Amino acid sequence: MVTFLGAIVLLVLGYVFYSKFVERVFVIDNDTSTPAYTKRDNLDFVPMSWWKGNLIQLLNIAGLGPIYGAVAGALYGPSAFIWIVVGCIFAGGVHDYFSGMLSMRHGGAQFPSLVGRYLGNSVRAFINLLSLVLMLLVAAAFTAGPAQLISQLTPLTFMTALAVIFTYFLLATILPVNKVIGKIYPVLGGILLFMAISIGIALLFFDRPIPNLTLSNLHPGELPLWPLLMVTISCGAISGFHSTQSPIIARTMKKESDGRKIFYGAMVIEGIIALIWAAAGMTFFNGTAGLQEALAAGGPSGVVNEISTSLLGTLGGILAILGVIILPITTGDTALRSSRMILAEYLSKFFNMENKGRLLLITFLLAAPTFYLSTIDYTFLWRYVGWTNQVVASVMLWTGAVYLMKHNKFHWICGVPAMFMTAVVCTYIFYAPEGLGMDYTLSMIIGSILTLFVLIWYVVQIVRYRKLHKKGGLKAA
């Protein structure tokens, strides 16, 4: 229990102190009007208060991510606590802050546009495609589960439930951000928080102690902790999907100082939620072996339902149903909204995207493959979400690092976690079954070599920008 409570305290301290340091490195300016005012269109660019932005951002980036991922990551034991705390403070919080603030600084630009500006158009073309694939996979994966549960609890068939959900998706995607998302999401964000806090308090009085820190890998299947844990628990530590969601709220910010509360703050709250559910997974089933059996029997939704109803009674059952149905749907609709915004931004080079009919057509074109993907195996989809998600996270951190180098600022706050995540994905892609499925030792060797090449590139960029600043070719900002 000491480890669990200490981890929560560290996350809070990380927000209080490290987020302020990150903000000072970035340098905010409240005298400059934000895109919410300069580009107001009453669709995507609409001013909203920071607390609404924080709750909407939390729901956009979280959904069931910090619940399902944390429960699966709990199979590794209390080592999951370390990753959530360190990942959230030094990687995820920084990642989310820069993805939101750089978008705001560049007129509400989408993630691929930021990548192209700082890493080049070839990387932008790759990340455009990867971001769209990631968001369609997320939307599909987070729709199939709720539709299945609705079909079990109501007279509706699976396909009918799916059609109802996608009808809502289309409305949420094309209506102004303050009409549906701005009104409903703060309430749903509050439900997500209430659910996690209730479980956390109940755990403190549970008849089994929350495990304390051990550096041993307790995974019953003897899966290696590196790099699998860093991909299994993404929401709650660092998730590339967040960088596709941040521009939604970046377009609604009233002032730059709201960014720390919205982006870094939502990430820390998500980290606390992940800590609570990781602790619940380890504790409730009397160890990782019991958790593995529960996951095999009922999947993550069954585990969440059993924990909630047992610890919180009828209230827990209601919250579990609300969570398993509503929360993933709210992630799916903003995933589609972001993909619509990314594709519209790309097509704006060729067409006038202020045309409402074209925006509607784009939405339908994106919804169609997502609807199809929702009808296939959920676990198959989720396997590919993991590694694409963390590749996107690595690219966003490198974007932030180059931005800081270009402006002669302390680039290490993005560069160090970017190197770490690069090492994770370079190894994971070769080892994981959804990757190349190679031998673990060989995957480690190849991953290390590729990471070394990226490190050399990083050093070259550092030297290059230092020379440019000395020659006066670039101005510090």
Side-chain angles (χ1 to χ4, degrees):
M1 183 178 296
V2 173
T3 302
F4 170 65
L5 294 176
I8 291 178
V9 170
L10 286 174
L11 280 181
V12 173
L13 291 175
Y15 173 74
V16 172
F17 295 105
Y18 195 69
S19 70
K20 286 292 289 185
F21 173 69
V22 171
E23 185 182 61
R24 284 198 297 272
V25 171
F26 185 80
V27 184
I28 58 171
D29 178 12
N30 279 337
D31 293 330
T32 301
S33 294
T34 63
Y37 295 106
T38 60
K39 301 178 73 171
R40 183 165 186 165
D41 63 359
N42 292 322
L43 176 63
D44 297 316
F45 294 90
V46 183
M48 287 197 300
S49 61
W50 74 264
W51 66 269
K52 273 192 175 183
N54 173 274
L55 286 172
I56 294 169
Q57 175 75 359
L58 174 64
L59 208 62
N60 286 356
I61 66 176
L64 285 177
I67 300 176
Y68 281 13
V71 166
L75 289 170
Y76 292 91
S79 300
F81 293 152
I82 300 175
W83 167 235
I84 291 170
V85 171
V86 175
C88 184
I89 294 172
F90 298 106
V94 175
H95 170 280
D96 288 16
Y97 183 79
F98 273 84
S99 64
M101 295 302 287
L102 287 180
S103 173
M104 183 272 304
R105 280 276 173 93
H106 295 292
Q110 291 297 305
F111 167 59
S113 177
L114 298 174
V115 171
R117 180 182 289 269
Y118 294 104
L119 298 182
N121 286 326
S122 57
V123 182
R124 177 182 181 173
F126 166 73
I127 214 68
N128 246 322
L129 178 61
L130 190 65
S131 297
L132 287 172
V133 168
L134 172 62
M135 283 184 289
L136 295 184
L137 284 172
V138 167
F142 275 11
T143 302
Q148 200 166 46
L149 187 56
I150 290 171
S151 68
Q152 292 169 1
L153 298 175
T154 71
L156 298 178
T157 65
F158 172 76
M159 292 302 294
T160 304
L162 209 59
V164 171
I165 292 172
F166 269 86
T167 301
Y168 162 75
F169 276 3
L170 291 173
L171 290 173
T173 303
I174 61 177
L175 287 173
V177 69
N178 61 332
K179 296 300 182 185
V180 176
I181 293 174
K183 293 186 183 301
I184 299 174
Y185 276 34
V187 176
L188 298 179
I191 291 173
L192 176 64
L193 276 173
F194 179 77
M195 182 181 183
I197 292 170
S198 300
I199 293 293
I201 293 173
L203 280 176
L204 298 179
F205 299 95
F206 194 49
D207 58 4
R208 298 182 194 128
I210 300 172
N212 281 319
L213 181 61
T214 171
L215 296 180
S216 302
N217 179 4
L218 301 181
H219 199 292
E222 298 183 352
L223 292 177
L225 189 147
W226 172 271
L228 299 188
L229 177 60
M230 291 76 194
V231 177
T232 303
I233 300 180
S234 54
C235 291
I238 177 172
S239 168
F241 177 70
H242 297 188
S243 64
T244 67
Q245 301 302 291
S246 295
I248 294 177
I249 306 303
R251 296 181 176 195
T252 69
M253 288 170 55
K254 290 184 174 181
K255 55 185 178 180
E256 291 195 0
S257 58
D258 288 344
R260 184 174 73 94
K261 293 175 282 189
I262 292 172
F263 301 115
Y264 204 110
M267 183 66 237
V268 168
I269 294 171
E270 187 186 63
I272 293 173
I273 293 171
L275 278 176
I276 290 169
W277 281 101
M282 294 175 211
T283 306
F284 186 83
F285 298 99
N286 205 24
T288 57
L291 173 60
Q292 187 180 51
E293 291 177 7
L295 285 169
S301 60
V303 166
V304 170
N305 183 60
E306 187 173 350
I307 291 173
S308 300
T309 52
S310 297
L311 293 181
L312 302 177
T314 304
L315 172 63
I318 294 171
L319 289 175
I321 291 172
L322 282 173
V324 174
I325 293 178
I326 296 176
L327 296 179
I329 290 174
T330 60
T331 301
D333 65 11
T334 51
L336 274 182
R337 189 180 189 94
S338 294
S339 59
R340 184 263 292 168
M341 289 162 66
I342 287 176
L343 192 56
E345 186 173 81
Y346 175 75
L347 293 176
S348 64
K349 303 174 185 177
F350 313 103
F351 304 102
N352 173 20
M353 294 315 299
E354 293 181 3
N355 184 296
K356 303 295 185 189
R358 285 176 181 157
L359 287 176
L360 189 61
L361 177 61
I362 288 174
T363 303
F364 275 106
L365 290 175
L366 291 168
T370 307
F371 186 90
Y372 168 73
L373 289 171
S374 299
T375 64
I376 66 178
D377 183 31
Y378 168 90
T379 55
F380 173 81
L381 292 175
W382 196 246
R383 280 167 39 184
Y384 290 92
V385 169
W387 72 263
T388 54
N389 188 35
Q390 299 305 55
V391 168
V392 169
S394 304
V395 172
M396 180 62 239
L397 284 170
W398 283 124
T399 301
V402 173
Y403 165 82
L404 293 174
M405 281 188 272
K406 184 175 181 180
H407 293 281
N408 199 23
K409 296 178 179 179
F410 192 72
H411 56 84
W412 303 105
I413 60 171
C414 286
V416 172
M419 278 303 312
F420 180 85
M421 292 308 299
T422 298
V424 167
V425 296
C426 283
T427 307
Y428 186 89
I429 288 171
F430 288 95
Y431 175 68
E434 62 270 22
L436 298 178
M438 297 171 62
D439 174 75
Y440 182 67
T441 303
L442 182 58
S443 300
M444 289 281 286
I445 293 170
I446 297 173
S448 298
I449 293 170
L450 291 175
T451 303
L452 179 60
F453 280 122
V454 176
L455 177 60
I456 292 170
W457 169 83
Y458 185 26
V459 172
V460 169
Q461 297 306 309
I462 293 171
V463 173
R464 174 191 168 211
Y465 280 105
R466 280 181 179 172
K467 287 180 178 178
L468 285 171
H469 284 295
K470 283 183 179 179
K471 290 179 181 179
L474 291 172
K475 292 182 179 180

